[in-house]
């Protein structure tokens, strides 16, 4: 038996929703908080399974975690113990690897299992490791565990072959206490990196340049507790923008930083979606006609790979042939097989997909093969005729905060059941 999500499609949505704190910032902010020597309060924590798993890891480290209300977390590492992280909680999410940088930075030693997360094709962490080594650490990989040790971390110049989000954040965290200056060149520029650097600087770190491709970290001697509010989730905002474009009469999406979703909003406008972009909200009106478009995923500020899968569902409703090219994760196309089961006409090409539309979609049983595939299935289910059953729904719960409630508030028919 497993829990499945069911969606009865074809209902026109209308109303307002508020976007939660950014998952991909949160999952780095929580490990970053352990670098402090006092309590860190983080506000805007989304209720997602990844957060629950990170809290478990904090508890293993004897870090005191206090939840206040729905979205406040106080993380107090005052009595922390640097134990080996070899439990399964580590393998349940990708972001557990941020404890590598945080624990190495604070104690000069970390031992942990290989991180997990969505399968999107190969996801090596060689750049993280090279960064730690450049700071003076020795890295061993034995029996599915990394052991990373440094007598002393010394600032270094590190050039990332790929502008990796994870490596940029992990190296930043490992370097906050290192002696001297660390320079990360070809750093990733995603908004979540700025958010993590902001938290660390509030704690007393000296990080400059976050949000550009050169980040410098000057070693600090002590980091203290602080208060921080997480940025809105640009991927959740993007998902709801696409849902609105697919099936809403009118939707008001609150708590958005429009600049963070510009690559998507301009693409949607090109496809014929009407929207009004305000300072911190976006209002989407029903489109009379959607036209096909081409999109290529890029690092920020380019089109986010995490929105490529949800957008594909919308493209099945656009007139003409759309093309999606994936440059970050070449195998992130499992959603296309699922969409084809529902009646889409998608052809897979090398690192890309050709979507021929419009095609009616019909409810059937599909898999959320990964988190954003799950989002793509929700969108398709909302459009489809009949009932769609989404299996492996735990992937969706890893990253979308109260998605059922938010959809129901907009008038969608969504429920969960236990199924074979
Ligand atoms: N890469 C390497 N070596 C490394 C690190 C990355 O070759 O050491 C490659 C990856 O295989 C990939 C590319 O570099 O081809 C970019 O990977 P990156 O490190 O930037 O991604 P990530 O940190 O593992 C984060 C998000 C992903 C999001 C990507 C790209 C988190 C926890 N995850 O992953 O989010 O797709 O950045 O923006 O922040 C999601 O939310 O669904 C998700 C998968």
């Amino acid at each position: 038996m497993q829990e499945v999500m069911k969606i009865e499609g074809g209902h026109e949505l209308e109303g307002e929703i508020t976007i939660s704190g950014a998952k991909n910032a949160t999952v780095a902010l929580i490990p970053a908080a352990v670098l402090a020597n006092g309590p860190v309060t983080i506000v805007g924590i989304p209720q997602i399974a990844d957060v629950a798993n990170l809290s478990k890891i904090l508890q293993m480290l004897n870090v005191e975690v206090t939840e206040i209300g729905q979205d406040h977390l106080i993380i107090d590492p005052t009595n922390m113990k640097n134990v080996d992280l070899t439990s399964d909680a580590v393998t349940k999410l990708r972001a557990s690897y941020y404890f590598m940088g945080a624990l190495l930075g604070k104690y000069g030693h970390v031992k942990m299992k290989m991180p997990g997360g969505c399968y999107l094709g190969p996801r090596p962490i060689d750049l993280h490791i090279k960064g730690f080594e450049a700071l003076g650490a020795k890295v061993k990989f034995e029996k599915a565990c990394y052991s990373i040790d440094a007598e002393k971390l010394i600032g270094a110049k590190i050039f990332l072959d790929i502008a990796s989000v994870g490596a940029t954040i992990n190296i930043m965290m490992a370097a906050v206490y290192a002696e001297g200056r660390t320079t990360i060149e070809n750093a990733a520029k995603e908004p979540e990196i700025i958010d993590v650097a902001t938290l660390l600087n509030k704690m007393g770190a000296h990080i400059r340049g976050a949000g550009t491709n050169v980040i410098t970290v000057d070693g600090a001697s002590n980091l203290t507790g602080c208060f921080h509010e997480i940025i809105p989730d640009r991927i959740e905002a993007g998902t709801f923008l696409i849902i609105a474009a697919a099936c809403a009469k009118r939707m008001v999406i609150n708590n958005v930083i429009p600049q963070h979703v510009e690559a998507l909003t301009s693409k949607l406008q090109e496809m014929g979606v009407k929207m009004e972009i305000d300072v911190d909200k976006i209002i989407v009106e029903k489109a009379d006609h959607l036209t096909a478009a081409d999109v290529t995923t890029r690092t920020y500020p380019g089109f986010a790979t995490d929105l490529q899968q949800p957008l594909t569902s919308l493209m099945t409703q656009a007139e003409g042939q759309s093309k999606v090219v994936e440059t970050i994760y070449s195998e992130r196309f499992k959603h296309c097989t699922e969409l084809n089961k529902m009646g889409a006409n998608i052809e897979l090409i090398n690192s890309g997909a050709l979507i021929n539309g419009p095609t009616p979609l019909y409810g059937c049983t599909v898999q959320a093969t990964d988190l954003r595939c799950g989002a793509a299935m929700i969108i398709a289910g909302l459009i489809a005729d009949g009932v769609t059953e989404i299996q492996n729904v735990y992937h969706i719960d890893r990253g979308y905060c109260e998605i059922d409630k938010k959809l129901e508030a907009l008038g969608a028919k969504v429920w969960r059941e236990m199924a074979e």
Side-chain angles (χ1 to χ4, degrees), residues 11 139 151 163 175 182 204 263 280 351 400:
H11 299 284
V139 182
E151 259 172 44
T182 299
D280 60 355
S351 300
Y400 284 95

Side-chain angles (χ1 to χ4, degrees), residues 87 161 359 379:
S87 98
D161 294 337
T359 49
I379 297 163

